[in-house]
Amino acid sequence: MRAQDSATGYGTIAVGGGTETVATSATAPAPTAGTTQAGTTQAAGTTPPPGAAPAPYAPQHAPKAPVRRGTLLASLGVVAFSLTFPSTAWGLESFGPWSLVALRSTLAALIAGCFLLAARAPVPERRHWAGLAVVAGGVVVGFPLLTTLALQTSTTSHAAVVVGLLPLTTAVLGSLRTGERPSRTFWVAALAGAAVVIGFTVQQSGGALTSGDLYLFGALLVCAAGYTEGGRLARVMPGWQVIGWALMLCLPFAVAGSAVALPLEPVHLTAHGVLGLVWVAAGSTFFGLYVWYKGMAGIGVPRASQLQLAQPLLTLAWSVLLLGEEVSAAAPLAAVAVLVCIAATQRTGRRRTPRPLPAGETGPVRS
């Protein structure tokens, strides 16, 4: 559904709550909110009679149910992402870094293509393709490639540092891009959580910098940009279609990359290698981003980004269980501190700076 609201508008709509607001017709007289042109009361969630002017747009707060649903979906995305580094480490047992990234993108694009075809999803309008290119370059190609290269010389514990910085970077870029202005309490909690995560993960890696650090910091920037743009697009088209079309945009390059990289890099198929490839393609790249963007559209970029503060700690847990890495007893204390910071960011309010919608732009779409 569409309404005169977006990531750069004044308020939100709630399909789950049974209500929807739309803009007043430019030629119709302005009736009282909640009434039709004839003056009769229109019940929430109902369609006005034929010929009646729609009720004017009135900003409203999102009901609790859609917010909880958005938080749950974004959290599922974080869990899926937390398995990315261990799965990548497994995938590197069988494939070279360039082959792994190319195959990962190819398989994920084929899955997305099947979903788009089955749903008969419309091709995005021209004005959205630039944003989809940012998503594709950031989260489909840039982040996977740079982190895969980094994991050749870095442990998953050390690579988790970049994930600890990602929520804060995403929140900053999201605020600049969408006009959302988190409160001072939000920023204090976000900075505190980031400090806890960075301190913990650096201590776990011994504080030593590796040759993969430049890759990690590059991955941080491109991924934050992709998350921010994807969160904005998820308000004007269904979230799963955002990542679906971004993957389809990368498909020709992924196929060409696979054809070039596979003959040049050694391939030694193992169970771990195949499972790692399947997860980073189907789990992290498609399912994880699908629920992540859907959740981000429901609760906003800054709040969704702060849920990622738990991702490094989850990654460390998976590293112990799947890779046999050792983690100190400080992990539970850090986990509790991070969860407190997450709770604080989820309870803070946000102010939104009004920005005019682009020509032809309508409001958020829920799917």
Side-chain angles (χ1 to χ4, degrees):
M1 298 182 182
R2 296 183 179 271
Q4 199 66 17
D5 183 28
S6 73
T8 57
Y10 290 86
T12 56
I13 68 171
V15 174
T19 63
E20 180 177 5
T21 54
V22 293
T24 305
S25 170
T27 58
T32 303
T35 64
T36 65
Q37 190 173 17
T40 57
T41 302
Q42 180 183 325
T46 61
T47 303
Y57 173 74
Q60 61 182 33
H61 295 290
K64 291 183 178 180
V67 171
R68 289 173 183 161
R69 182 171 180 266
T71 301
L72 175 61
L73 290 173
S75 299
L76 288 175
V78 170
V79 173
F81 298 152
S82 70
L83 283 161
T84 300
F85 286 168
S87 299
T88 301
W90 273 7
L92 287 172
E93 294 180 9
S94 294
F95 305 96
W98 295 91
S99 300
L100 179 61
V101 172
L103 289 173
R104 164 184 181 166
S105 300
T106 301
L107 293 177
L110 292 175
I111 295 172
C114 291
F115 274 79
L116 291 170
L117 186 62
R120 297 182 179 180
V123 176
E125 299 177 23
R126 176 181 292 183
R127 67 180 186 273
H128 296 318
W129 282 105
L132 289 171
V134 174
V135 176
V139 301
V140 176
V141 177
F143 186 80
L145 176 60
L146 293 173
T147 53
T148 300
L149 293 172
L151 286 173
Q152 290 188 294
T153 57
S154 301
T155 65
T156 56
S157 298
H158 187 81
V161 173
V162 71
V163 181
L165 292 173
L166 185 57
L168 182 59
T169 308
T170 304
V172 171
L173 293 181
S175 297
L176 294 174
R177 183 70 177 90
T178 66
E180 294 180 348
R181 296 167 54 196
S183 67
R184 183 175 301 177
T185 303
F186 178 97
W187 288 116
V188 170
L191 289 170
V196 169
V197 170
I198 293 171
F200 177 71
T201 52
V202 168
Q203 184 272 331
Q204 288 294 297
S205 63
L209 297 179
T210 68
S211 59
D213 286 326
L214 289 178
Y215 290 132
L216 293 175
F217 285 115
L220 166 69
L221 294 176
V222 298
C223 189
Y227 279 172
T228 299
E229 194 64 20
R232 186 191 69 83
L233 288 172
R235 289 180 174 269
V236 295
M237 69 175 71
W240 72 272
Q241 291 185 24
V242 173
I243 185 58
W245 288 112
L247 284 165
M248 295 304 297
L249 190 62
C250 291
L251 181 58
F253 305 100
V255 172
S258 300
V260 172
L262 283 173
L264 298 178
E265 294 181 327
V267 176
H268 306 288
L269 294 181
T270 65
H272 280 177
V274 174
L275 285 175
L277 171 62
V278 170
W279 177 257
V280 293
S284 300
T285 305
F286 183 74
F287 171 76
L289 290 172
Y290 163 58
V291 295
W292 173 248
Y293 283 133
K294 204 172 177 65
M296 203 186 290
I299 63 177
V301 173
R303 284 192 177 184
S305 70
Q306 295 315 298
L307 291 173
Q308 280 195 301
L309 287 170
Q311 185 175 329
L313 302 178
L314 291 173
T315 298
L316 291 172
W318 294 124
S319 298
V320 171
L321 295 174
L322 301 177
L323 303 178
E325 295 185 3
E326 295 184 0
V327 177
S328 72
L333 296 178
V336 171
V338 167
L339 290 176
V340 170
C341 294
I342 291 175
T345 61
Q346 297 303 298
R347 291 179 179 275
T348 57
R350 290 173 292 163
R351 300 184 300 277
R352 188 168 288 220
T353 301
R355 292 186 182 178
L357 292 172
E361 186 90 353
T362 55
V365 176
R366 300 290 186 261
S367 61

